[in-house]
Amino acid sequence: MPRSTPAPPTGTTAPTRALFFRAGVFRRKPVDASEAETAGGLRRTMGLWQLVALSLGGLIGAGVFSLAGVVAHQDAGPGVLLSFLIALVASAAAALCYAEFAGAIPRAGSAYTYSYAALGEIVGWIIGWDLLLEYTAIVAVVAIAVSGYFSYLLTRFGLDVPGWMLGAPGTGPGHRFDLFAALLCLLLAFVLSRGTRQSARFETALVAVKLGIVAVVVVAGALHLSASNYRPFLPYGIGGAVTGAATAFFAVYGYDAMSAAAEESAEAKRVLPKAIVLSLGIAAVIYLAVCVVLLGMQSYRDIDVRSPFSGALASVGLAGLGTVVAVGAVVGITTSAFANMLAVTRVWFAMSRDGLLPRYFARNHPRRHVPTRVIWPVGIGAALIAGLLPIREAADLTNIGILAAFIVVAIAVVVLRRTRPDLPRAFRTPWVPLVPAVGVAFSLWLIVHLDRLTWLRFAVWLALGLVVYALFGFRNSAEHGTGREGER
């Protein structure tokens, strides 16, 4: 009878040689969600259309009110229509991968949770740690943009405010702190802390107002189109349209923030994939309509990159709608900040519940069932960034992490198809591995073109994160010493 080797006692430290294998940093979180893990946590109150509204909050914002005009004027001319088509195809490839994971692993955390389950703990940690900074910085950037429009509206109504509160140091004469941006971050934290049902209603209402304003502007502009403004269609050649697609891409990836709220959606496996696909489809129609109307009203040469739609409307005698556009921009961009703040708090909550960050942050409010211990630190951190950093410096913190998450999620779909072909999937990404490969290729193309300072900041933040993981996360992980590290 062959002699069996006794198993090491539970809780003992894995041998050093196993550190970089399934029993070490590449141990994976079981993908079969247990009721015990999620019970008593976040409250499932959001239905399909609330999820769609949350996704549209991230998708429809600066891209409508600013980026379409910037890309047309600087890169593509009327070919901005083609730029957004390319960006939407690339974004759709990533969205389909997110939809498969959302239907198979409906847990909080989005890309962090997906990569942890498919590729291992260290990959999940890197993505999660990076998203903590990226999402928080996005909230700050959006708040700064809203502050600019809000200041414009105050000026239009003849109200003067002290210069010290109008921007971060170095952004203008007398500027010391962007008070409006900081207050917006704190306001959003307050709304989120009130509970999922209340905050979802707030977001849905703002999205409805935003879409109504966009519809009014598009219809009004459509009555003043000139075919001559579309010629030449590609003044900078096809290369200009492709270059413009890189900028446009950053306007069409907001659905990833919505997927972080998986545990707050009713019938998550069924409705999350639908919400991702529906929201991207609605956003595609809106973006293409905006491009057609904007370029039909005014020649791309004459577009004002600071306020493209306001300038275009003024050029056809509709200057009065400029104030409506400013209001729409404030509302529209605010919904983007809300979606990203919700996302970062749920990623932090998921990492804390998994033991990679202190479990103190995974305790929800006993009555509202939201992670208030995470929400307020995020709100305060975003407020400080928004108040003290110029928008360009804050924006430089946002790009690389989102693209890295897209790459990892696309790869993880292919890996999980091979390692867990038996896993029930409410939605299956079509044409695997072709669709994931498109998402990876486009994201890699964008990520290698980011500037050196962005890479340096990413490297510093990543190094800090690896230190935190080595000193705390690895040994406090819920998967440490469970005997599940070798699970499929």
Side-chain angles (χ1 to χ4, degrees):
M1 183 174 181
R3 189 179 299 173
S4 60
T5 303
T10 302
T12 59
T13 304
T16 303
R17 61 185 173 82
L19 179 64
F20 296 102
F21 293 92
R22 289 272 180 91
V25 297
F26 286 101
R27 58 197 173 197
R28 294 180 300 189
K29 189 168 185 62
V31 296
D32 302 310
S34 66
E35 292 297 325
E37 179 177 302
T38 58
L42 301 170
R43 180 171 289 173
R44 296 185 182 274
T45 59
M46 287 193 284
L48 173 62
W49 291 107
Q50 287 176 313
L51 289 169
V52 170
L54 182 61
S55 185
L56 288 174
L59 281 164
I60 306 297
V64 164
F65 297 103
S66 180
L67 281 182
V70 172
V71 172
H73 183 75
Q74 298 179 351
D75 299 308
V80 67
L81 187 66
L82 183 58
S83 297
F84 270 92
L85 276 172
I86 295 171
L88 286 164
V89 169
S91 184
L96 292 171
C97 296
Y98 271 85
E100 176 163 329
F101 270 116
I105 310 175
R107 299 185 191 179
S110 188
Y112 153 73
T113 299
Y114 306 155
S115 55
Y116 192 172
L119 302 176
E121 186 173 277
I122 188 63
V123 181
W125 168 266
I126 290 171
I127 293 300
W129 178 258
D130 195 35
L131 288 179
L132 293 181
L133 176 63
E134 304 295 331
Y135 282 137
T136 303
I138 290 173
V139 173
V141 169
V142 172
I144 296 169
V146 170
S147 176
Y149 276 105
F150 189 66
S151 299
Y152 166 80
L153 286 173
L154 291 179
T155 303
R156 291 278 294 178
F157 290 114
L159 299 176
D160 294 324
V161 293
W164 67 265
M165 65 169 61
L166 292 178
T171 60
H175 290 185
R176 294 290 180 269
F177 190 79
D178 196 330
L179 184 63
F180 294 137
L183 289 177
L184 176 61
C185 293
L186 297 177
L187 173 63
L188 292 175
F190 172 76
V191 173
L192 276 175
S193 72
R194 306 313 296 171
T196 302
R197 186 184 300 275
Q198 289 76 10
S199 56
R201 287 173 178 170
F202 170 81
E203 174 79 346
T204 302
L206 288 187
V207 168
V209 172
K210 172 175 61 175
L211 295 182
I213 291 174
V214 171
V216 168
V217 171
V218 168
V219 171
L223 301 175
H224 297 82
L225 304 184
S226 173
S228 62
N229 289 329
Y230 297 114
R231 297 191 294 266
F233 186 72
L234 293 171
Y236 304 108
I238 189 67
V242 173
T243 300
T247 303
F249 183 78
F250 291 109
V252 292
Y253 63 64
Y255 50 79
D256 65 309
M258 180 269 290
S259 68
E263 287 178 33
E264 291 154 283
S265 59
E267 301 181 275
K269 287 190 175 185
R270 183 178 64 85
V271 301
L272 272 171
K274 290 182 180 179
I276 291 173
V277 174
L278 270 173
S279 60
L280 188 60
I282 293 170
V285 172
I286 291 172
Y287 274 114
L288 297 180
V290 163
C291 290
V292 169
V293 171
L294 177 63
L295 272 297
M297 283 193 293
Q298 188 176 37
S299 169
Y300 71 93
R301 303 179 188 88
D302 302 323
I303 287 177
D304 180 357
V305 295
R306 294 171 300 177
S307 53
F309 248 111
S310 296
L313 289 167
S315 72
V316 295
L318 298 174
L321 277 178
T323 302
V324 175
V325 171
V327 172
V330 169
V331 173
I333 300 175
T334 297
T335 62
S336 177
F338 179 91
N340 283 284
M341 184 175 284
L342 184 144
V344 67
T345 59
R346 275 38 175 187
V347 171
W348 190 341
F349 168 82
M351 295 178 74
S352 300
R353 186 174 61 189
D354 291 339
L356 301 182
L357 291 173
R359 286 186 172 84
Y360 168 86
F361 296 108
R363 297 173 188 168
N364 288 323
H365 190 281
R367 184 164 48 86
R368 299 173 191 150
H369 298 280
V370 289
T372 50
R373 294 182 178 185
V374 171
I375 290 171
W376 282 109
V378 167
I380 293 169
L384 291 174
I385 295 173
L388 296 171
L389 287 183
I391 191 168
R392 180 59 186 269
E393 291 186 23
D396 285 341
L397 299 173
T398 66
N399 297 338
I400 195 167
I402 301 298
L403 291 171
F406 277 16
I407 292 169
V408 167
V409 169
I411 293 172
V413 163
V414 179
V415 171
L416 204 62
R417 284 284 186 93
R418 293 180 177 275
T419 59
R420 289 300 308 271
D422 60 312
L423 182 69
R425 292 167 169 87
F427 176 87
R428 296 178 69 88
T429 305
W431 304 312
V432 172
L434 177 61
V435 168
V438 171
V440 169
F442 200 88
S443 298
L444 281 174
W445 177 64
L446 292 176
I447 209 169
V448 298
H449 285 86
L450 296 175
D451 59 64
R452 293 182 180 179
L453 184 59
T454 299
W455 278 99
L456 178 61
R457 286 170 171 159
F458 174 73
V460 171
W461 181 251
L462 176 60
L464 176 61
L466 291 175
V467 171
V468 173
Y469 176 72
L471 296 179
F472 181 87
F474 178 77
R475 298 185 187 282
N476 289 278
S477 168
E479 299 305 308
H480 185 67
T482 61
R484 296 192 309 206
E485 294 90 343
E487 191 174 293
R488 290 184 302 176

